[in-house]
Amino acid sequence: MLAAQRVLSAPNTRLPRIADPRFGNDPFALGVASGQPRPQSVVLWTRLMADPAQPGGGLPRALVPLTWQVAEDEAFARIVRSGTVLADPAQAHSVRVQVDHLRPAWRYWYRFLAGGIASPVGRTRTAPAADAAVDRLRLALASCQHYEQGWFTAHREIAELDLDAVVFVGDYIYDSSNRRFRLRSHEAEAPCTLDGFRARYATYKRDPDLQACHAAHPWILAWDDHEVRNDYAGTFGDEDELSPEAFVRMRSAAYQAYFEHQPLALDQMPGPHGVRMHDRFRWGRLADLWMLDGRQYRSPQVCNGGQVAGGHVRWHCPALTDDQGTMLGTDQERWLQGGLRSAGGRWKLVGQATQVSPWGLPGPDGQPLVYSDGWDGYPAARARLMAHIATHRLENVVFLGGDVHRHVAAQLRANAHDPQAPIVASEFVTSSLTTAGIPETLMSLIRSSNVDILHARSDERGYMQVDVTDRSLHCVARATGFPVLAHSALHTQARFRVEAGRAGPQRE
Ligand SMILES: [Fe+2]
């Protein structure tokens, strides 16, 4: 049997190694996860924790050995890969195993074993071979899971679906609380330190519905702002809370904790210059998916008076016409443009954190009314992207977003505010899993003043299911009222279809 794995790094050999660990509690209370589905590999993840109430998860400062197994059946009768890995306290006793030499488009089951205790069994799936003809791709699109504002009931439903992957586009944790909406507690104040962020992830990861969804499917992740702080921009945060230097230190702690708790690739470990989150996935000749990082490299939101982060409603602001603003940073923007141009897949899916289509509300002086944290606040960056799609006549481009806490279906024009400009791409934005949305009164104003917003509802929470075939892409918006309770039932709020070769969603 091949022990095909790569380990994170040489563990700290000065630390003692526990030869035969024994646990008083279940050490797998944070569950298991898989991610980064490639044709021959996936990443497996878990984090050992003996006692969530104790610093360091109640584990000693020592290396703890685990066994991992990958099987072709749920009962582990046909184990095809296995090995051992050390949980290092420097990584919060989290482990990740990049399992190679797997079969493309294949279903596998996996588990970890430590101290005679087996983890929950996870199920995952590799991507098809790069040149494969693929009949169907099915994804769930989710974002914005504020733990205090509701139950992760949608994850329970997603866990039951037959999916290729979950695409999660940010706000996996929330740093902050809102006293108006508090059905359960974050257990601590807003995290500032590595220990604080680790504890915040431990709170979220103990949710059984979230665990079930991770165990059922591989996840592909982008992050947004709340993994660090609301509306942060690059290395800039809220100066009222922290000095610029202190913000950068906190961002590093947040990035490290994010890495420790997600099934990211080994080479995504944060370093002194940040972490490469943007990535590309491929399902044979059917579809490519670019996952974007809209936080780490963005310029500060406009009209804040300099290097200050923070989103605001703006309308009269000369800087909005400035062409210097960037959402992705120069390198990532070039990478995306080049990838879109040369992609071999029929569908070009772009997963990113927020809404690309404009609000469309006119301000008092006729200038567009915008919320400066979204793409509306980075109009030059949006214009460059849309112009690239239009100039190169790129077909079947579909943006998949989140962040704004409403289900949206929209058509994207070569020029965002020109109703005569050609429609060049489609957009679906998923509502939040739990987090409260903006008032429906404002939503109805947006709907009535923007012909390109084909659907938008902020009163319901949920997720989207996206089905892709050669001929068309179908999107089902699943939803339930606010707040989401454990027994809430989801219903279909809307259905849309995009036909290959014709930009723009059509209601079904
Ligand atoms: Fe959010």
Side-chain angles (χ1 to χ4, degrees):
M1 187 184 302
L2 276 172
Q5 67 162 80
R6 281 181 258 159
V7 294
L8 177 63
S9 59
N12 187 341
T13 49
R14 284 177 297 181
L15 287 176
R17 175 175 170 165
I18 299 177
D20 185 19
R22 286 285 169 257
F23 301 99
N25 301 320
D26 176 6
F28 297 107
L30 303 189
V32 297
S34 73
Q36 302 281 317
R38 310 289 184 187
Q40 292 186 307
S41 70
V42 292
V43 172
L44 310 180
W45 170 92
T46 193
R47 178 187 167 195
L48 292 176
M49 174 166 276
D51 181 356
Q54 299 294 321
L59 288 166
R61 274 197 61 76
L63 303 169
V64 183
L66 291 87
T67 300
W68 57 271
Q69 297 173 329
V70 174
E72 289 186 321
D73 66 313
E74 196 169 3
F76 288 81
R78 297 194 308 279
I79 295 173
V80 293
R81 300 283 182 273
S82 67
T84 59
V85 62
L86 290 171
D88 188 336
Q91 301 289 330
H93 288 104
S94 66
V95 295
R96 72 195 61 242
V97 180
Q98 190 158 316
V99 186
D100 297 324
H101 306 301
L102 297 173
R103 297 171 73 166
W106 208 252
R107 175 160 284 181
Y108 292 98
W109 285 260
Y110 62 93
R111 67 184 174 191
F112 296 88
L113 303 150
I117 299 173
S119 74
V121 172
R123 190 182 64 180
T124 193
R125 188 176 182 82
T126 51
D131 60 350
V134 178
D135 292 340
R136 191 204 75 179
L137 165 67
R138 177 175 285 173
L139 304 170
L141 176 67
S143 77
C144 297
Q145 49 183 28
H146 201 302
Y147 181 85
E148 294 189 326
Q149 295 189 19
W151 265 257
F152 297 160
T153 311
H155 278 314
R156 203 187 320 144
E157 181 171 300
I158 298 171
E160 297 300 318
L161 301 176
D162 179 16
L163 294 180
D164 291 277
V166 172
V167 175
F168 194 92
V169 288
D171 291 351
Y172 186 96
I173 58 164
Y174 275 73
D175 54 314
S176 53
S177 297
N178 183 334
R179 290 182 194 286
R180 287 169 60 209
F181 312 117
R182 207 168 200 178
L183 278 69
R184 48 184 183 168
S185 169
H186 268 151
E187 304 174 323
E189 295 302 308
C192 288
T193 62
L194 180 54
D195 278 347
F197 280 104
R198 285 170 169 170
R200 180 58 48 95
Y201 280 98
T203 298
Y204 279 64
K205 289 279 187 182
R206 292 206 304 282
D207 182 278
D209 296 325
L210 179 59
Q211 281 191 17
C213 194
H214 272 296
H217 311 293
W219 281 42
I220 294 170
L221 292 133
W223 59 25
D224 196 24
D225 53 339
H226 286 285
E227 286 87 352
V228 181
R229 277 297 185 273
N230 184 43
D231 288 356
Y232 84 93
T235 55
F236 300 102
D238 176 357
E239 284 193 319
D240 291 341
E241 186 198 5
L242 290 171
S243 70
E245 298 75 25
F247 176 77
V248 170
R249 279 197 301 277
M250 184 185 67
R251 194 186 84 155
S252 296
Y255 285 3
Q256 172 65 22
Y258 185 87
F259 174 75
E260 289 171 354
H261 292 85
Q262 303 294 12
L264 300 180
L266 302 171
D267 58 9
Q268 291 181 285
M269 184 163 64
H273 304 295
V275 52
R276 181 175 167 134
M277 277 296 291
H278 56 283
D279 207 343
R280 178 179 177 177
F281 297 85
R282 186 173 294 181
W283 284 271
R285 299 204 302 268
L286 181 62
D288 292 84
L289 168 67
W290 289 264
M291 293 295 283
L292 306 186
D293 177 350
R295 284 290 159 192
Q296 193 173 183
Y297 315 109
R298 69 156 70 188
S299 48
Q301 293 85 353
V302 287
C303 321
N304 289 353
Q307 308 282 288
V308 179
H312 301 277
V313 175
R314 305 287 190 195
W315 65 95
H316 187 68
C317 168
L320 273 170
T321 56
D322 186 347
D323 63 1
Q324 299 302 310
T326 181
M327 176 72 95
L328 305 175
T330 309
D331 290 350
Q332 185 182 190
E333 194 171 310
R334 278 203 201 113
W335 165 85
L336 174 64
Q337 291 186 356
L340 286 170
R341 250 188 347 259
S342 60
R346 185 165 183 80
W347 293 89
K348 300 168 184 63
L349 312 178
V350 184
Q352 51 82 48
T354 187
Q355 182 175 334
V356 177
S357 47
W359 273 17
L361 287 174
D365 59 358
Q367 291 293 311
L369 189 74
V370 306
Y371 185 69
S372 63
D373 187 59
W375 282 91
D376 261 352
Y378 296 79
R382 178 171 59 195
R384 288 193 296 272
L385 188 48
M386 292 304 129
H388 186 80
I389 294 168
T391 304
H392 295 277
R393 300 180 185 280
L394 303 178
E395 289 196 319
N396 307 326
V397 181
V398 181
F399 286 83
L400 304 173
D403 177 49
V404 293
H405 309 172
R406 51 185 177 261
H407 280 319
V408 176
Q411 48 198 21
L412 299 173
R413 294 184 188 270
N415 182 348
H417 293 285
D418 176 5
Q420 306 305 317
I423 297 164
V424 295
S426 311
E427 176 173 47
F428 296 106
V429 181
T430 184
S431 189
S432 52
L433 227 88
T434 55
T435 321
I438 61 172
E440 263 291 302
T441 43
L442 177 56
M443 205 65 256
S444 72
L445 266 177
I446 291 172
R447 281 192 299 264
S448 61
S449 48
N450 188 344
V451 294
D452 292 327
I453 302 283
L454 308 175
H455 178 86
R457 272 186 63 181
S458 58
D459 58 332
E460 292 191 318
R461 319 275 63 87
Y463 74 98
M464 284 176 163
Q465 181 182 310
V466 179
D467 275 277
V468 188
T469 67
D470 237 17
R471 295 175 58 176
S472 56
L473 179 149
H474 294 255
C475 177
V476 179
R478 298 284 292 166
T480 189
F482 178 83
V484 184
L485 304 174
H487 60 265
S488 294
L490 286 90
H491 66 98
T492 294
Q493 183 190 89
R495 288 175 184 273
F496 281 86
R497 151 180 110 254
V498 180
E499 299 203 346
R502 180 181 171 187
Q506 300 169 57
R507 193 182 287 274
E508 289 197 311

